[in-house]
Every structure is written in structure tokens, then in C-alpha cells.
Coordinates of all heavy atoms in Angstrom, one line a residue:
M1 N 0.3 -18.1 -15.8 CA 0.9 -17.5 -14.6 C -0.2 -16.9 -13.8 O -1.0 -16.1 -14.3 CB 1.9 -16.5 -15.0 CG 2.7 -16.0 -13.8 SD 4.0 -14.8 -14.2 CE 5.0 -15.6 -15.3
S2 N -0.3 -17.1 -12.6 CA -1.3 -16.6 -11.6 C -0.9 -15.2 -11.1 O 0.3 -14.9 -11.0 CB -1.5 -17.5 -10.4 OG -1.9 -18.8 -10.8
I3 N -1.9 -14.4 -10.9 CA -1.7 -13.1 -10.3 C -1.8 -13.3 -8.8 O -2.7 -14.0 -8.3 CB -2.6 -12.0 -10.8 CG1 -2.2 -10.7 -10.3 CG2 -4.1 -12.4 -10.5 CD1 -2.9 -9.5 -11.1
I4 N -1.0 -12.6 -8.1 CA -1.0 -12.6 -6.6 C -1.5 -11.3 -6.1 O -1.1 -10.2 -6.6 CB 0.4 -12.9 -6.0 CG1 0.9 -14.3 -6.4 CG2 0.4 -12.7 -4.5 CD1 2.3 -14.6 -6.0
S5 N -2.4 -11.3 -5.2 CA -2.9 -10.1 -4.5 C -2.2 -9.9 -3.2 O -2.2 -10.8 -2.4 CB -4.4 -10.2 -4.2 OG -5.2 -10.3 -5.4
L6 N -1.6 -8.7 -3.1 CA -0.9 -8.3 -1.9 C -1.9 -7.4 -1.2 O -2.2 -6.3 -1.7 CB 0.4 -7.6 -2.1 CG 1.4 -8.5 -2.9 CD1 2.6 -7.6 -3.3 CD2 1.8 -9.7 -2.1
N7 N -2.4 -7.8 0.0 CA -3.4 -7.0 0.7 C -2.7 -6.5 2.0 O -2.3 -7.3 2.8 CB -4.6 -7.8 1.0 CG -5.3 -8.3 -0.2 OD1 -5.7 -7.5 -1.1 ND2 -5.4 -9.6 -0.4
I8 N -2.7 -5.2 2.2 CA -2.1 -4.5 3.3 C -3.1 -3.6 4.0 O -3.8 -2.8 3.4 CB -0.9 -3.6 2.8 CG1 0.1 -4.5 2.0 CG2 -0.2 -2.9 3.9 CD1 1.1 -3.7 1.2
S9 N -3.1 -3.8 5.3 CA -4.0 -2.9 6.1 C -3.0 -2.0 6.9 O -2.0 -2.4 7.4 CB -4.8 -3.8 7.1 OG -5.6 -3.0 7.9
V10 N -3.4 -0.7 6.9 CA -2.5 0.3 7.6 C -3.3 1.3 8.3 O -4.4 1.7 7.9 CB -1.6 1.0 6.5 CG1 -2.4 1.8 5.5 CG2 -0.5 1.8 7.2
H11 N -2.8 1.7 9.5 CA -3.3 2.9 10.2 C -2.2 3.7 10.8 O -1.3 3.2 11.5 CB -4.2 2.4 11.4 CG -4.7 3.5 12.3 ND1 -5.7 4.3 11.8 CD2 -4.4 3.8 13.5 CE1 -5.9 5.2 12.8 NE2 -5.1 4.9 13.8
N12 N -2.1 4.9 10.3 CA -1.0 5.8 10.8 C 0.4 5.2 10.6 O 1.2 5.1 11.5 CB -1.2 6.3 12.2 CG -2.4 7.2 12.4 OD1 -2.8 7.8 11.4 ND2 -2.9 7.3 13.6
G13 N 0.6 4.7 9.4 CA 1.9 4.0 9.0 C 2.8 4.8 8.2 O 3.6 4.3 7.5
E14 N 2.8 6.2 8.4 CA 3.7 7.0 7.6 C 5.2 6.6 7.7 O 6.0 6.8 6.8 CB 3.5 8.5 7.8 CG 3.9 8.9 9.2 CD 3.6 10.4 9.5 OE1 3.0 11.1 8.6 OE2 4.0 10.9 10.6
K15 N 5.6 6.1 8.8 CA 7.0 5.8 9.1 C 7.4 4.5 8.3 O 8.6 4.3 8.0 CB 7.3 5.5 10.5 CG 7.2 6.7 11.4 CD 7.5 6.3 12.9 CE 7.4 7.4 13.8 NZ 7.6 7.0 15.2
Y16 N 6.4 3.7 7.9 CA 6.7 2.4 7.4 C 6.2 2.1 6.0 O 6.7 1.2 5.3 CB 6.2 1.3 8.3 CG 6.5 1.5 9.8 CD1 5.6 2.0 10.7 CD2 7.8 1.3 10.2 CE1 5.9 2.3 12.0 CE2 8.2 1.5 11.5 CZ 7.2 2.0 12.4 OH 7.6 2.3 13.7
I17 N 5.2 2.8 5.5 CA 4.6 2.4 4.3 C 5.5 2.6 3.1 O 5.4 1.7 2.2 CB 3.2 3.2 4.1 CG1 2.4 2.6 3.0 CG2 3.5 4.7 3.8 CD1 1.9 1.2 3.3
S18 N 6.3 3.6 3.0 CA 7.3 3.7 1.9 C 8.2 2.5 1.8 O 8.5 2.0 0.8 CB 8.1 5.0 2.0 OG 7.2 6.1 1.7
H19 N 8.8 2.1 3.0 CA 9.7 1.0 3.1 C 8.9 -0.3 2.6 O 9.5 -1.1 1.8 CB 10.2 0.8 4.5 CG 11.1 -0.4 4.6 ND1 12.4 -0.4 4.2 CD2 10.9 -1.6 5.2 CE1 13.0 -1.5 4.4 NE2 12.1 -2.3 5.1
C20 N 7.7 -0.4 3.0 CA 6.9 -1.6 2.6 C 6.7 -1.6 1.1 O 7.0 -2.7 0.4 CB 5.6 -1.6 3.3 SG 4.4 -2.9 2.8
L21 N 6.3 -0.5 0.5 CA 6.1 -0.4 -0.9 C 7.4 -0.6 -1.7 O 7.5 -1.2 -2.8 CB 5.4 0.9 -1.3 CG 4.0 1.0 -0.8 CD1 3.4 2.4 -1.1 CD2 3.1 -0.1 -1.4
N22 N 8.5 0.0 -1.2 CA 9.8 -0.2 -1.9 C 10.2 -1.6 -1.9 O 10.8 -2.1 -2.9 CB 10.9 0.7 -1.2 CG 10.7 2.1 -1.5 OD1 10.1 2.5 -2.5 ND2 11.2 3.0 -0.6
S23 N 10.0 -2.3 -0.8 CA 10.3 -3.8 -0.7 C 9.5 -4.6 -1.7 O 10.1 -5.4 -2.4 CB 10.0 -4.3 0.7 OG 10.3 -5.6 0.8
I24 N 8.2 -4.3 -1.9 CA 7.4 -4.9 -2.9 C 7.9 -4.7 -4.3 O 8.0 -5.5 -5.1 CB 5.9 -4.5 -2.7 CG1 5.4 -5.0 -1.4 CG2 5.1 -5.0 -3.9 CD1 4.0 -4.4 -1.1
K25 N 8.3 -3.4 -4.5 CA 8.7 -3.0 -5.9 C 10.0 -3.7 -6.3 O 10.2 -4.0 -7.4 CB 9.0 -1.5 -5.8 CG 9.3 -0.9 -7.1 CD 9.5 0.6 -6.9 CE 10.1 1.3 -8.1 NZ 10.3 2.7 -7.9
K26 N 10.9 -4.1 -5.3 CA 12.1 -4.8 -5.6 C 12.0 -6.3 -5.9 O 13.0 -6.9 -6.3 CB 13.1 -4.6 -4.4 CG 13.6 -3.2 -4.2 CD 14.5 -3.1 -3.0 CE 14.9 -1.6 -2.8 NZ 15.7 -1.5 -1.6
Q27 N 10.8 -6.8 -5.7 CA 10.6 -8.3 -5.9 C 10.8 -8.6 -7.4 O 10.5 -7.8 -8.3 CB 9.3 -8.7 -5.5 CG 9.0 -8.5 -4.0 CD 10.0 -9.1 -3.1 OE1 10.3 -10.3 -3.2 NE2 10.6 -8.4 -2.2
T28 N 11.3 -9.8 -7.7 CA 11.5 -10.2 -9.0 C 10.2 -10.7 -9.7 O 10.1 -10.6 -10.9 CB 12.6 -11.3 -9.1 OG1 12.2 -12.4 -8.3 CG2 14.0 -10.8 -8.7
Y29 N 9.3 -11.2 -8.9 CA 8.0 -11.7 -9.4 C 7.2 -10.4 -9.6 O 7.0 -9.6 -8.7 CB 7.4 -12.6 -8.4 CG 6.1 -13.2 -9.0 CD1 6.1 -14.3 -9.8 CD2 4.9 -12.7 -8.7 CE1 5.0 -14.9 -10.3 CE2 3.7 -13.3 -9.2 CZ 3.8 -14.4 -10.0 OH 2.6 -14.9 -10.5
K30 N 6.7 -10.2 -10.8 CA 6.0 -8.9 -11.1 C 4.5 -9.1 -11.4 O 3.8 -8.1 -11.6 CB 6.6 -8.3 -12.3 CG 8.1 -7.9 -12.1 CD 8.2 -6.9 -11.0 CE 9.7 -6.5 -10.8 NZ 9.9 -5.6 -9.7
N31 N 4.0 -10.3 -11.3 CA 2.5 -10.5 -11.7 C 1.7 -10.4 -10.4 O 1.2 -11.4 -9.9 CB 2.3 -11.8 -12.4 CG 1.0 -11.9 -13.1 OD1 0.4 -10.9 -13.3 ND2 0.5 -13.1 -13.4
F32 N 1.6 -9.2 -9.9 CA 0.8 -9.0 -8.6 C 0.0 -7.7 -8.7 O 0.3 -6.8 -9.5 CB 1.7 -9.0 -7.4 CG 2.8 -8.0 -7.4 CD1 2.6 -6.7 -7.0 CD2 4.1 -8.3 -7.8 CE1 3.6 -5.8 -7.0 CE2 5.1 -7.4 -7.9 CZ 4.8 -6.1 -7.5
E33 N -0.9 -7.6 -7.8 CA -1.6 -6.3 -7.5 C -1.5 -6.0 -6.0 O -1.3 -6.9 -5.2 CB -3.1 -6.5 -7.9 CG -3.9 -7.5 -7.0 CD -5.3 -7.6 -7.4 OE1 -5.8 -7.0 -8.4 OE2 -6.0 -8.4 -6.7
V34 N -1.5 -4.7 -5.8 CA -1.3 -4.2 -4.4 C -2.6 -3.5 -4.0 O -3.0 -2.5 -4.6 CB -0.1 -3.3 -4.2 CG1 0.1 -2.8 -2.8 CG2 1.2 -4.0 -4.7
N35 N -3.2 -4.0 -2.9 CA -4.4 -3.4 -2.4 C -4.1 -3.0 -0.9 O -3.6 -3.8 -0.1 CB -5.6 -4.4 -2.3 CG -5.9 -5.0 -3.7 OD1 -6.1 -4.2 -4.6 ND2 -5.9 -6.3 -3.8
I36 N -4.3 -1.7 -0.7 CA -4.0 -1.1 0.7 C -5.3 -0.6 1.2 O -6.0 0.3 0.7 CB -2.9 0.0 0.6 CG1 -1.6 -0.6 0.0 CG2 -2.7 0.5 2.0 CD1 -0.5 0.4 -0.1
W37 N -5.6 -1.1 2.4 CA -6.8 -0.6 3.2 C -6.2 0.4 4.2 O -5.5 0.0 5.1 CB -7.5 -1.7 3.9 CG -8.5 -2.4 3.0 CD1 -9.8 -2.2 2.9 CD2 -8.2 -3.5 2.0 NE1 -10.4 -3.0 1.9 CE2 -9.4 -3.8 1.4 CE3 -7.1 -4.1 1.6 CZ2 -9.5 -4.8 0.4 CZ3 -7.2 -5.1 0.7 CH2 -8.4 -5.4 0.1
D38 N -6.6 1.6 4.1 CA -6.2 2.6 5.1 C -7.4 2.7 6.1 O -8.5 3.1 5.7 CB -6.0 4.0 4.5 CG -5.6 5.0 5.5 OD1 -4.5 4.9 6.0 OD2 -6.5 5.8 5.9
N39 N -7.1 2.5 7.3 CA -8.1 2.5 8.4 C -8.1 3.9 9.1 O -7.8 4.0 10.2 CB -7.8 1.4 9.4 CG -8.0 0.0 8.9 OD1 -9.1 -0.2 8.3 ND2 -7.1 -0.9 9.1
N40 N -8.5 4.9 8.3 CA -8.8 6.2 8.7 C -7.5 6.9 9.4 O -7.6 7.4 10.5 CB -10.0 6.3 9.7 CG -10.5 7.7 9.8 OD1 -10.5 8.4 8.9 ND2 -11.1 7.9 10.9
S41 N -6.4 6.8 8.7 CA -5.1 7.4 9.2 C -5.3 8.9 9.4 O -5.9 9.5 8.6 CB -4.0 7.1 8.3 OG -3.7 5.7 8.3
S42 N -4.7 9.4 10.4 CA -4.7 10.8 10.7 C -3.3 11.5 10.4 O -3.1 12.7 10.6 CB -5.1 11.1 12.1 OG -4.2 10.5 13.0
D43 N -2.4 10.7 9.9 CA -1.1 11.2 9.5 C -1.0 11.3 8.0 O -2.0 11.3 7.3 CB 0.1 10.3 10.1 CG 0.1 8.9 9.6 OD1 -0.8 8.5 8.8 OD2 0.9 8.1 10.1
S44 N 0.2 11.3 7.4 CA 0.3 11.4 6.0 C 0.4 10.1 5.2 O 0.7 10.1 4.0 CB 1.6 12.3 5.7 OG 2.7 11.6 6.1
T45 N -0.1 9.0 5.8 CA -0.1 7.7 5.2 C -0.8 7.7 3.8 O -0.2 7.3 2.8 CB -0.7 6.7 6.1 OG1 0.0 6.6 7.3 CG2 -0.7 5.3 5.4
K46 N -2.0 8.3 3.7 CA -2.7 8.3 2.5 C -2.0 9.1 1.4 O -2.0 8.7 0.2 CB -4.1 8.8 2.7 CG -5.0 7.9 3.5 CD -6.4 8.5 3.6 CE -6.5 9.2 5.0 NZ -7.8 9.5 5.4
N47 N -1.4 10.2 1.7 CA -0.7 11.0 0.8 C 0.5 10.3 0.2 O 0.8 10.4 -1.0 CB -0.3 12.4 1.3 CG -1.5 13.3 1.6 OD1 -2.5 13.2 0.8 ND2 -1.4 14.1 2.6
I48 N 1.2 9.6 1.1 CA 2.4 8.8 0.6 C 1.9 7.7 -0.3 O 2.5 7.6 -1.4 CB 3.1 8.2 1.9 CG1 3.7 9.3 2.7 CG2 4.1 7.2 1.4 CD1 4.2 8.8 4.1
I49 N 0.9 7.0 0.0 CA 0.4 6.0 -0.9 C -0.1 6.6 -2.3 O 0.2 6.1 -3.3 CB -0.8 5.2 -0.2 CG1 -0.3 4.5 1.0 CG2 -1.4 4.2 -1.2 CD1 -1.3 3.9 1.9
K50 N -0.9 7.6 -2.2 CA -1.4 8.3 -3.4 C -0.3 8.8 -4.3 O -0.5 8.8 -5.6 CB -2.4 9.4 -3.1 CG -3.7 8.9 -2.5 CD -4.6 10.1 -2.1 CE -5.9 9.6 -1.5 NZ -6.7 10.7 -1.0
N51 N 0.8 9.2 -3.8 CA 1.9 9.8 -4.6 C 3.0 8.9 -4.8 O 4.0 9.3 -5.4 CB 2.4 11.1 -3.9 CG 1.4 12.2 -3.8 OD1 0.8 12.5 -4.8 ND2 1.1 12.7 -2.6
Y52 N 2.9 7.6 -4.5 CA 3.9 6.6 -4.7 C 4.1 6.3 -6.1 O 3.1 6.1 -6.8 CB 3.7 5.3 -3.9 CG 4.9 4.4 -3.9 CD1 5.9 4.6 -3.0 CD2 5.0 3.4 -4.8 CE1 7.0 3.8 -3.0 CE2 6.1 2.6 -4.8 CZ 7.1 2.8 -3.9 OH 8.2 2.0 -3.9
K53 N 5.3 6.3 -6.6 CA 5.6 6.0 -8.0 C 6.2 4.7 -8.2 O 7.0 4.2 -7.3 CB 6.5 7.1 -8.6 CG 6.1 8.5 -8.5 CD 4.9 8.8 -9.3 CE 4.5 10.3 -9.2 NZ 3.1 10.5 -9.3
G54 N 5.9 4.0 -9.2 CA 6.6 2.7 -9.5 C 5.8 1.5 -9.3 O 6.1 0.4 -9.8
L55 N 4.6 1.6 -8.6 CA 3.7 0.5 -8.4 C 2.3 1.0 -8.6 O 2.0 2.1 -8.3 CB 3.8 -0.1 -7.0 CG 5.0 -0.9 -6.6 CD1 4.8 -1.2 -5.1 CD2 5.0 -2.2 -7.4
K56 N 1.5 0.1 -9.2 CA 0.0 0.4 -9.3 C -0.6 -0.1 -7.9 O -0.5 -1.3 -7.6 CB -0.6 -0.3 -10.4 CG -2.1 0.0 -10.5 CD -2.7 -0.6 -11.7 CE -4.2 -0.2 -11.8 NZ -5.0 -0.8 -10.8
V57 N -1.1 0.9 -7.2 CA -1.6 0.6 -5.9 C -3.1 0.9 -5.8 O -3.5 2.0 -6.2 CB -0.9 1.3 -4.8 CG1 -1.5 1.1 -3.4 CG2 0.6 1.0 -4.8
N58 N -3.9 0.0 -5.4 CA -5.3 0.3 -5.1 C -5.5 0.7 -3.7 O -5.3 -0.1 -2.8 CB -6.2 -0.9 -5.4 CG -6.0 -1.4 -6.9 OD1 -6.0 -0.7 -7.8 ND2 -5.7 -2.7 -7.0
L59 N -5.9 2.0 -3.5 CA -6.1 2.4 -2.1 C -7.6 2.4 -1.8 O -8.4 3.0 -2.5 CB -5.6 3.9 -1.9 CG -5.8 4.6 -0.6 CD1 -5.1 3.8 0.5 CD2 -5.3 6.0 -0.7
I60 N -7.9 1.7 -0.7 CA -9.3 1.7 -0.2 C -9.3 2.4 1.1 O -8.5 2.1 2.0 CB -9.8 0.2 0.0 CG1 -9.8 -0.5 -1.3 CG2 -11.2 0.2 0.6 CD1 -8.5 -1.3 -1.6
E61 N -10.1 3.5 1.2 CA -10.1 4.3 2.5 C -11.3 4.0 3.3 O -12.4 4.1 2.9 CB -10.1 5.8 2.1 CG -8.8 6.2 1.3 CD -8.8 7.6 0.9 OE1 -9.0 8.5 1.8 OE2 -8.7 7.9 -0.3
N62 N -11.1 3.5 4.5 CA -12.1 3.3 5.5 C -12.5 4.6 6.2 O -11.6 5.4 6.5 CB -11.7 2.2 6.5 CG -11.6 0.8 5.9 OD1 -12.3 0.5 4.9 ND2 -10.7 0.0 6.4
D63 N -13.8 4.7 6.5 CA -14.2 5.9 7.2 C -13.9 6.0 8.7 O -13.8 7.0 9.3 CB -15.7 6.1 7.1 CG -16.2 6.4 5.7 OD1 -15.3 6.9 4.9 OD2 -17.3 6.1 5.3
K64 N -13.6 4.8 9.3 CA -13.3 4.7 10.7 C -12.3 3.6 10.9 O -12.2 2.7 10.1 CB -14.5 4.6 11.6 CG -15.4 3.4 11.3 CD -16.7 3.5 12.1 CE -17.6 2.4 11.7 NZ -18.8 2.4 12.5
N65 N -11.6 3.6 12.0 CA -10.6 2.6 12.4 C -11.3 1.4 13.0 O -12.1 1.6 13.9 CB -9.5 3.2 13.2 CG -8.4 2.2 13.5 OD1 -8.4 1.1 13.0 ND2 -7.5 2.6 14.3

């Protein structure tokens, strides 16, 4: 079985990132990894991602947008 990489780019996405991650979590296919590139968000996006429970998420933080 192949692993699927889900790659998400986000900038100031605090309104949407939880919904996105919840949607991924509900999928029946479970052999995946989640990589999120944060493009220097100034809102609480990074905190939401870091504190999200139920998925293993790799957060990559960019220094600038």
C-alpha cells in the first residue's frame, strides 16, 4: 500500500485550517502524511496546527511570505 503525502500551503488561515485538518481526519484512507508549509502567518494559524490532536502533522515554517 502506498503512502500519500498531503501538502498544504497556508498564510493567515486561522479561519480555515481546523476545518481542513478535520476533513482530512475523517477520510477512510489512513496511509498518509500531512505536511503544512506556513508562509509566515501573523495570526494563530501556527498555534492551531501545533496543538491539533488526532493527526500527525509536519509543520514547516517559512521566514517570509
Side-chain angles (χ1 to χ4, degrees):
M1 186 182 301
S2 298
I3 188 166
I4 293 176
S5 293
L6 302 171
N7 299 301
I8 301 165
S9 179
V10 65
H11 175 72
N12 292 339
E14 68 183 1
K15 292 182 184 178
Y16 310 105
I17 195 66
S18 290
H19 180 74
C20 177
L21 294 173
N22 287 335
S23 179
I24 293 168
K25 186 177 168 182
K26 291 178 184 177
Q27 300 303 308
T28 57
Y29 188 83
K30 299 295 182 187
N31 196 20
F32 59 82
E33 64 181 3
V34 180
N35 303 305
I36 301 178
W37 277 264
D38 179 75
N39 289 314
N40 201 28
S41 292
S42 58
D43 62 3
S44 63
T45 300
K46 287 182 267 193
N47 289 331
I48 293 169
I49 295 166
K50 288 177 182 177
N51 294 309
Y52 190 82
K53 305 292 184 212
L55 284 176
K56 182 177 183 292
V57 176
N58 303 311
L59 175 61
I60 299 96
E61 298 180 53
N62 292 330
D63 294 336
K64 55 185 172 180
N65 185 2

